[in-house]
Amino acid sequence: MQGFDCQNVLSRRARSFKLSPIQQLSLLAQRCNAINLAEGFPDFPAPLHIKEAAVAAITADFNQYRHVQGVCEKVASAFEMAHGVKVDPATEVTLCCGQSEALAAAILAVVEANDEVVILEPAYDTYEACTILAGGKPVFVSLDPPFWSLDLKKLDAAIGPKTKAVIINSPHNPTGKVFSKVELADITNLCCKHGCLAITDEVYEHITFDDVKHVSLASFPGMKERTIVTSSLSKTFGVTGWRIGWAIAPSALTSAIQIIHTKLTDSAPAPFQEAALTALQSCPDFYKSLKQEYQFRRDYVCNFLNDFGFIVHFRPQGSFFVFVELPSEVRFDDIEYVMEAINTLGIAFVPGCAFFNKSGAEENLKFHVSTDLAKKGLQMPRNLKGSNDASENLVSNPYKHRYIRVAFCKDISTLQAAKLALRRQCK
Amino acid sequence: MASSTEGAPQTVASDGKSNGVAVETPPTLQVSKRLEKFQTSIFTQTTGLAIKYQALNLGQGFPDFDGPDFIKEAAIEAIKTVGKNQYARGYGIPDLNRAIAARFKKDSGLDVDPETEVTVTTGCTEALSATMLGLLNPGDEVILFAPFFDVYEQLLAMVGATIKFVTLRPPDFSVPEKELREAFSSKTRAILVNTPHNPTGKVFSRKELELIASLCIKNNALAFTDEVYSKLIFRGEHISIATLDGMYERTVTMNSMAKTFSLTGWKVGWAIAPPQLSWGLRIAHSNLTFSTSTPLQWGAVAALQAPDAYYVDLAQNYKRRKDYLVENLSSIGFKVYEPHGTYFVMADHTPFGFDDDTAFVGHLIKNVGVAAIPPSGFYENASDGKHLVRFAFCKDDETLRKAVERMKIHLKPTSLKSTNDSAN
């Protein structure tokens, strides 16, 4: 009996993937019981009124396949109120399993094999991954440190006849930057000039600080008809595990996204669609105190990071992450530092290189993580192929290995514990 | 469901040359070619008509009764627990992976590693889409039995696979050996097997699965199985092809909470496959949905610990409904192909004098007040299904009784000639 030939079992798309550094480190951090300032979800309870709505939905038997059009209506009216853009809930909103699926469906709906998709770095790794899954080609444009400013010439040069879309994430993960009106107007001009689409990730739309306002790219003249906006309940309402998100797009694109979505998952979890009705009716005070709570945590964390020598180039204007540069006296690169922090400090961060493409990050990470996992009797999957020369990249782009992302969406006690651990080490 | 446009994707007029200034007319936008084959689903259309004409809906395959309280309570408990409303581990919460492995061991005898061989997905739908995106290349040949659940064909089209159809025909819908052998070749990448089978209610026999297995092994092909109705068996036994010699290493076995626990809206499913195959589908899954709803996964943990009595009751309750519907459909004049599993039954509507299934179902909805699904869209050649109709009996007793009553009163055979029941 011939054995099964495993050589070519993965699809070509899947073969080009490497392990997600964020997920791998998170496993390691869990095993070491580290203080988790890595993952982007709260460790404090979700709002009571929303949980109660979900419980009520389950109890009232909202448990079969359903599409709750009311959620589309609320999403549409909230968008209009916030950004002044009229959205037709019947034809311009798709409910999805989280913003993750909304983005995947959007990309699968519009990206053809060999289409290019422009991604601004540093970037959340799924933008690149979804592009590849759709057969497209990611094209990276680096935002310039230390303020992650957008160089228009670079962006203009990166967009060409093969560009299907530009992905804009604002408020931005991992840097906490909120794209300004001027920047968005510039991006608008380029998209219109080149005739390409824009796909936005606005999941942190309600988490902004210091009176900075999140403005949606879709609200700029000429952009509504060429923009797919994606967002979700997850970050705003602290329910990252519910998987309720949406895409807002002109009707022809929405039809396409809707079709792809029904093939990918068929529908979003029914009881949480019901609960979304309640969530999306939250009063203005909810959003106000959301900002206040997170701003307090932002300041607390930025202060102690600063005290302990990390370089906080600017306080994040949005999201619940701060992207800090390692203290100059720290000789490690970001991955080594993060490993060390897990092992000796008991704190988990995310190495900044996880958000840069082709930085050799994966190769470095694979080595470090597999060594560490081996110590714990764990194994990495055998068929990972890394292809980049880490050392070459360090020389040409040293800053890509000097940052760590710190999440402050945590209970104050968690943040205090982290501060104490850092203080002990500094003594 | 929000109405979706039918037919081919739209292109909109170009916005013309601009000088960087915003323009009024919409841009040229082209949706991906992968959407070319999609139209509004027959299920959406039928339900729309059913609502319009206030017909009793024996069309769409979801229950009008709800799942067990103990499962709902477990999910509710999770919602009330800090941490359980946040991201689950991408491939499933450890407790659920373990529960799935334990249940699979009980059902199939196979030992699988919950960490590397079980992946939790957003329903069986996402298990399928992740499997296809992770393991199939554009141009790969995949064998599909007709009639098929329409999503299979659409997903395969979405990933650019080439489909080879093998048609199952009444009265037994048995696997045609010669046709199957001809469909397989060294170019075959995978075969998709749905057992128990929607829409026919067929349960693939051991002999049929052994035939499929031998051809997979001979041609070095994969098997993707959708076993969501595995607990709804009335005759024979459910066999996972992964248990046959030489098959586990090349099979992705998929299932979900939906049908077994009457919670079709929860979207908790899973794929069981050897590490290499699991890796591929996990990559796709992590970028499609990242993770599956956490509190509902906790509900699933409780569900999978249901005692054997639960499954016995489930099958008995469905069998009772099946017997009721089959008997009555027969007496009304249908030629009924009695299902051995699932909650669907296929019947031949020829005695009622309509040219095809769409016309028959149209009449059934508008003039009789009962909705069913016209299955011709589940075949490569629509004509193979035009004399058939699919009824669902995942409905409460009262709904079934009323539907039968309406058909008894308003549906009359046009002749007394019996249907030709030889295989087509």
Side-chain angles (χ1 to χ4, degrees):
Chain A
M1 192 188 323
Q2 84 188 83
F4 179 58
D5 172 12
C6 334
Q7 287 299 322
N8 299 310
V9 77
L10 300 181
S11 69
R12 282 190 292 275
R13 300 176 204 94
R15 256 180 260 155
S16 65
F17 282 87
K18 297 150 196 133
L19 208 54
S20 155
I22 298 176
Q23 289 214 341
Q24 258 322 82
L25 277 171
S26 141
L27 288 173
L28 183 60
Q30 265 173 45
R31 298 232 187 292
C32 304
N33 229 352
I35 298 167
N36 196 336
L37 300 192
E39 281 175 321
F41 57 79
D43 59 359
F44 48 81
L48 188 59
H49 68 293
I50 300 167
K51 289 191 294 193
E52 282 173 347
V55 168
I58 292 174
T59 310
D61 296 346
F62 286 112
N63 296 308
Q64 307 311 323
Y65 294 128
R66 63 199 283 116
H67 166 78
V68 180
Q69 184 59 20
V71 180
C72 298
E73 282 156 17
K74 296 210 182 304
V75 164
S77 70
F79 196 78
E80 182 173 357
M81 220 162 64
H83 304 292
V85 176
K86 205 138 176 48
V87 173
D88 181 356
T91 61
E92 296 182 319
V93 182
T94 311
L95 283 189
C96 298
C97 300
Q99 181 273 343
S100 303
E101 202 226 337
L103 188 94
I107 290 180
L108 283 166
V110 303
V111 172
E112 211 65 89
N114 302 315
D115 276 352
E116 289 178 2
V117 174
V118 172
I119 297 170
L120 305 181
E121 287 198 305
Y124 184 48
D125 62 1
T126 64
Y127 305 154
E128 175 188 357
C130 286
T131 300
I132 293 172
L133 270 181
K137 180 166 173 271
V139 171
F140 295 92
V141 171
S142 300
L143 296 172
D144 297 329
F147 303 110
W148 312 106
S149 37
L150 177 62
D151 181 336
L152 270 187
K153 286 205 206 70
K154 277 203 275 190
L155 182 57
D156 195 10
I159 307 177
K162 288 205 198 148
T163 307
K164 181 52 65 80
V166 178
I167 298 182
I168 302 295
N169 168 220
S170 182
H172 187 248
N173 171 14
T175 67
K177 167 191 172 75
V178 171
F179 283 71
S180 68
K181 276 189 151 174
V182 171
E183 286 174 315
L184 293 172
D186 289 337
I187 293 168
T188 294
N189 287 335
L190 287 180
C191 287
C192 290
K193 168 181 153 189
H194 289 279
C196 66
L197 301 175
I199 302 175
T200 71
D201 172 355
E202 303 183 24
V203 292
Y204 300 101
E205 56 185 315
H206 294 290
I207 303 176
T208 55
F209 314 120
D210 307 320
D211 296 325
V212 168
K213 200 172 172 290
H214 164 66
V215 177
S216 179
L217 184 63
S219 64
F220 284 75
M223 286 312 285
K224 193 209 164 184
E225 46 262 40
R226 61 175 76 246
T227 305
I228 301 170
V229 174
T230 66
S231 192
S232 77
L233 291 187
S234 295
K235 317 292 185 179
T236 307
F237 300 100
V239 286
T240 60
W242 283 18
R243 322 312 296 139
I244 299 288
W246 51 83
I248 301 172
S251 59
L253 292 178
T254 293
S255 283
I257 296 167
Q258 177 72 43
I259 288 172
I260 297 281
H261 155 69
T262 54
K263 304 319 156 199
L264 292 180
T265 62
D266 186 76
S267 56
F272 296 129
Q273 286 189 50
E274 274 305 304
L277 290 173
T278 301
L280 292 167
Q281 268 162 192
S282 296
C283 58
D285 274 352
F286 172 84
Y287 297 98
K288 195 163 160 219
S289 78
L290 183 76
K291 290 174 164 65
Q292 281 169 351
E293 292 284 317
Y294 277 125
Q295 180 159 331
F296 177 79
R297 286 165 173 77
R298 174 200 71 168
D299 293 341
Y300 185 83
V301 168
C302 287
N303 288 342
F304 77 64
L305 288 173
N306 189 52
D307 289 345
F308 299 127
F310 292 88
I311 309 168
V312 183
H313 291 286
F314 65 96
R315 303 211 156 199
Q317 304 160 300
S319 85
F320 36 58
F321 303 114
V322 51
F323 206 49
V324 290
E325 197 176 339
L326 294 172
S328 39
E329 63 269 20
V330 167
R331 312 286 295 186
F332 297 142
D333 68 19
D334 57 344
I335 294 174
E336 290 163 334
Y337 181 79
V338 166
M339 303 282 297
E340 189 62 21
I342 291 174
N343 287 320
T344 62
L345 279 176
I347 308 177
F349 303 111
V350 180
C353 62
F355 302 95
F356 293 100
N357 169 59
K358 294 186 184 136
S359 62
E362 295 84 0
E363 198 56 56
N364 238 340
L365 177 64
K366 196 161 64 90
F367 170 72
H368 287 292
V369 176
S370 76
T371 310
D372 216 272
L373 287 174
K375 284 189 204 150
K376 291 167 174 60
L378 302 167
Q379 239 188 329
M380 299 253 289
R382 275 174 291 129
N383 65 335
L384 285 182
K385 289 189 177 68
S387 56
N388 301 302
D389 181 357
S391 53
E392 179 204 306
N393 227 288
L394 264 176
V395 166
S396 51
N397 292 294
Y399 74 85
K400 293 183 179 180
H401 280 281
R402 293 295 301 172
Y403 282 80
I404 57 169
R405 186 191 78 174
V406 183
F408 52 85
C409 46
K410 307 293 172 186
D411 194 77
I412 291 295
S413 59
T414 309
L415 302 177
Q416 282 169 340
K419 179 178 176 179
L420 270 171
L422 276 164
R423 175 179 294 155
R424 258 183 255 121
Q425 193 187 53
C426 282
K427 285 199 173 129
Chain B
M1 187 125 178
S3 64
S4 49
T5 54
E6 301 206 28
Q10 301 170 27
T11 55
V12 184
S14 165
D15 62 357
K17 201 52 216 136
S18 81
N19 53 4
V21 172
V23 289
E24 294 299 332
T25 52
T28 301
L29 43 84
Q30 191 100 41
V31 296
S32 164
K33 288 195 200 70
R34 60 175 57 88
L35 283 142
E36 268 163 10
K37 294 201 176 160
F38 298 151
Q39 300 156 26
T40 316
S41 98
I42 187 63
F43 303 103
T44 311
Q45 284 174 45
T46 304
T47 295
L49 272 179
I51 292 171
K52 184 174 174 191
Y53 291 95
Q54 295 181 308
L56 293 164
N57 199 338
L58 303 194
Q60 251 173 329
F62 57 81
D64 57 3
F65 48 83
D66 214 49
D69 283 339
F70 76 95
I71 302 173
K72 295 194 283 189
E73 278 154 18
I76 287 170
E77 198 46 48
I79 291 170
K80 294 178 176 170
T81 309
V82 178
K84 292 188 177 175
N85 291 303
Q86 305 310 328
Y87 291 125
R89 187 179 66 172
Y91 56 97
I93 61 175
D95 281 53
L96 182 54
N97 289 53
R98 281 193 286 270
I100 292 166
R103 189 70 235 175
F104 190 63
K105 163 106 184 159
K106 233 180 148 195
D107 291 336
S108 71
L110 287 179
D111 264 307
V112 301
D113 178 0
E115 287 299 293
T116 60
E117 298 180 301
V118 176
T119 304
V120 175
T121 55
T122 305
C124 188
T125 310
E126 205 229 331
L128 283 159
S129 56
T131 294
M132 295 194 195
L133 279 166
L135 302 178
L136 294 177
N137 291 310
D140 278 352
E141 269 185 28
V142 176
I143 298 172
L144 184 60
F145 290 104
F148 44 79
F149 179 42
D150 60 353
V151 169
Y152 301 156
E153 185 194 22
Q154 291 157 357
L155 270 176
L156 287 168
M158 193 176 90
V159 304
T162 304
I163 307 176
K164 291 230 138 157
F165 297 94
V166 173
T167 305
L168 306 174
R169 301 179 192 282
D172 298 326
F173 300 105
S174 50
V175 174
E177 178 166 347
K178 183 160 174 292
E179 226 183 293
L180 184 64
R181 286 186 183 281
E182 281 165 9
F184 263 96
S185 74
S186 55
K187 288 210 221 127
T188 306
R189 175 82 169 138
I191 181 169
L192 205 162
V193 180
N194 169 218
T195 180
H197 185 253
N198 170 14
T200 64
K202 166 194 177 59
V203 174
F204 282 66
S205 68
R206 183 169 290 279
K207 199 150 169 268
E208 287 173 323
L209 293 173
E210 281 169 352
L211 170 64
I212 294 168
S214 70
L215 291 166
C216 283
I217 292 166
K218 178 168 169 219
N219 294 283
N220 199 26
L222 303 175
F224 302 154
T225 72
D226 173 353
E227 304 185 12
V228 291
Y229 300 101
S230 59
K231 293 299 181 189
L232 272 60
I233 302 268
F234 316 121
R235 199 193 295 189
E237 53 163 340
H238 171 70
I239 301 166
S240 291
I241 203 173
T243 58
L244 271 51
D245 280 343
M247 285 308 290
Y248 181 74
E249 64 218 39
R250 61 181 71 248
T251 304
V252 181
T253 305
M254 295 173 271
N255 213 321
S256 87
M257 288 266 286
K259 322 296 188 183
T260 307
F261 299 103
S262 310
L263 293 162
T264 58
W266 278 26
K267 313 306 294 162
V268 179
W270 53 87
I272 298 172
Q276 287 288 83
L277 300 182
S278 291
W279 178 247
L281 73 96
R282 278 182 189 186
I283 286 172
H285 161 67
S286 69
N287 292 297
L288 289 177
T289 59
F290 186 71
S291 63
T292 297
S293 169
T294 313
L296 303 182
Q297 287 194 53
W298 284 102
V301 171
L304 287 169
Q305 276 146 19
D308 288 342
Y310 171 81
Y311 297 103
V312 169
D313 269 350
L314 180 81
Q316 268 173 5
N317 274 315
Y318 273 118
K319 182 172 186 299
R320 187 171 49 74
R321 292 180 178 90
K322 182 263 300 179
D323 288 341
Y324 177 79
L325 189 60
V326 165
E327 188 186 312
N328 281 286
L329 287 175
S330 286
S331 69
I332 288 164
F334 289 93
K335 163 106 184 99
V336 183
Y337 300 109
E338 183 153 354
H340 295 187
T342 78
Y343 44 52
F344 301 115
V345 50
M346 288 272 260
D348 191 318
H349 62 76
T350 308
F352 304 100
F354 289 86
D355 284 340
D356 62 33
D357 54 338
T358 308
F360 174 72
V361 167
H363 168 75
L364 192 66
I365 293 175
K366 293 172 195 167
N367 303 319
V368 181
V370 175
I373 295 290
S376 53
F378 305 151
Y379 288 85
E380 181 191 11
N381 300 310
S383 57
D384 285 333
K386 68 177 185 176
H387 42 281
L388 298 171
V389 61
R390 186 195 84 171
F391 290 95
F393 49 89
C394 46
K395 308 293 170 184
D396 72 25
D397 294 340
E398 189 56 19
T399 309
L400 289 174
R401 193 191 59 76
K402 282 196 188 139
V404 159
E405 212 176 273
R406 287 186 186 184
M407 286 191 280
K408 279 193 162 134
I409 296 170
H410 300 289
L411 197 56
K412 302 286 180 208
T414 55
S415 83
L416 294 169
K417 261 165 58 174
S418 62
T419 335
N420 181 351
D421 64 355
S422 63
N424 296 14

